Amino acid sequence: MALLHRAELRPSKLDLLTAWLPGRPWFAGTAGADVTRVAGYRFDDPAGEVGIETILVRAGDGPVLQVPLTYRGAPLADADRWLVGTTEHSVLGRRWVYDAAGDPVYQAALAAAVLDGVGQAEEYFEVDGRREVRAASMTVRGGRLAGVDAAGIGAVREVVDAEPTRLVTERVELALVRRPGTGPAEGGLTGAWPELAQPVVLAYATPR
């Protein structure tokens, strides 16, 4: 489960993405236009240290883009390439925000979703000692790959920042679809939000 805080972020996530997205090789949309949120989902960090959130956004009137982010309380070593920016969280203090494709905690969570069928985390607030669940803005369904599980693929050796973004391990390549709807017709991690007629593929794996 993902514990959320009723907090203010300065700058906001969308402000960070408005500045950062146009420089990505997979960007599509209007550079300089405000980025708007379409939907989102979260994964769990088993250690409870890193926030993992995937936001689906549009830049102007462009297509939907999938942007997984991780939130950390200290910089991630050797990850300057993946840094989106920093923000001040009114409850947690300074947070370092990363393109999650380059973060090992997200890489493990994505592998578990694509290969082991692990779904999204339930999101909740704690209010006066009680758990208050937040309704999901989209539904996500994990996938499977015959004969392969997340524990057996080894660490990510290379990340190719493209469309799709490829996370290369010894046994498989995990493909993160940056523009949902451009991936294979079925398989892998799928998701749906209200404006869609049917689910789309968000990520998938191919054996090496």
Side-chain angles (χ1 to χ4, degrees):
M1 301 182 74
L3 172 61
L4 309 179
H5 298 274
R6 300 188 190 278
E8 183 178 355
L9 295 178
R10 293 187 176 181
S12 71
K13 302 169 192 176
L14 294 182
D15 287 341
L16 289 175
L17 293 179
T18 295
W20 177 80
L21 276 172
R24 303 308 98 203
W26 40 265
F27 174 76
T30 306
D34 288 341
V35 170
T36 56
R37 181 185 177 103
V38 175
Y41 62 97
R42 288 178 179 261
F43 291 141
D44 276 324
D45 169 19
E49 296 294 328
V50 178
I52 309 172
E53 180 181 23
T54 297
I55 308 177
L56 276 67
V57 299
R58 282 193 179 94
D61 59 358
V64 173
L65 303 176
Q66 181 176 205
V67 187
L69 300 171
T70 53
Y71 309 115
R72 289 177 167 266
L76 176 62
D78 302 319
D80 288 351
R81 171 189 176 192
W82 305 106
L83 182 65
V84 176
T86 60
T87 186
E88 294 296 330
H89 190 288
S90 61
V91 175
L92 301 175
R94 177 161 294 185
R95 307 296 286 173
W96 279 258
V97 182
Y98 290 93
D99 176 353
D103 191 318
V105 172
Y106 171 78
Q107 293 168 356
L110 181 66
V114 173
L115 301 175
D116 296 345
V118 176
Q120 70 202 92
E122 185 176 64
E123 303 174 19
Y124 72 98
F125 299 97
E126 284 189 354
V127 181
D128 298 327
R130 292 178 292 105
R131 183 172 292 169
E132 183 179 293
V133 176
R134 183 170 78 170
S137 60
M138 64 182 291
T139 57
V140 172
R141 184 184 296 269
R144 298 280 183 179
L145 185 64
V148 182
D149 60 28
I153 64 172
V156 172
R157 298 177 170 184
E158 180 185 11
V159 180
V160 181
D161 194 18
E163 169 52 25
T165 296
R166 292 165 35 232
L167 285 65
V168 183
T169 77
E170 181 178 351
R171 295 193 60 193
V172 301
E173 284 192 9
L174 301 171
L176 171 66
V177 180
R178 295 294 193 165
R179 303 175 198 166
T182 62
E186 60 183 21
L189 178 70
T190 60
W193 54 95
E195 69 183 62
L196 288 183
Q198 59 185 14
V200 294
V201 174
L202 302 172
Y204 58 94
T206 53
R208 297 190 70 213

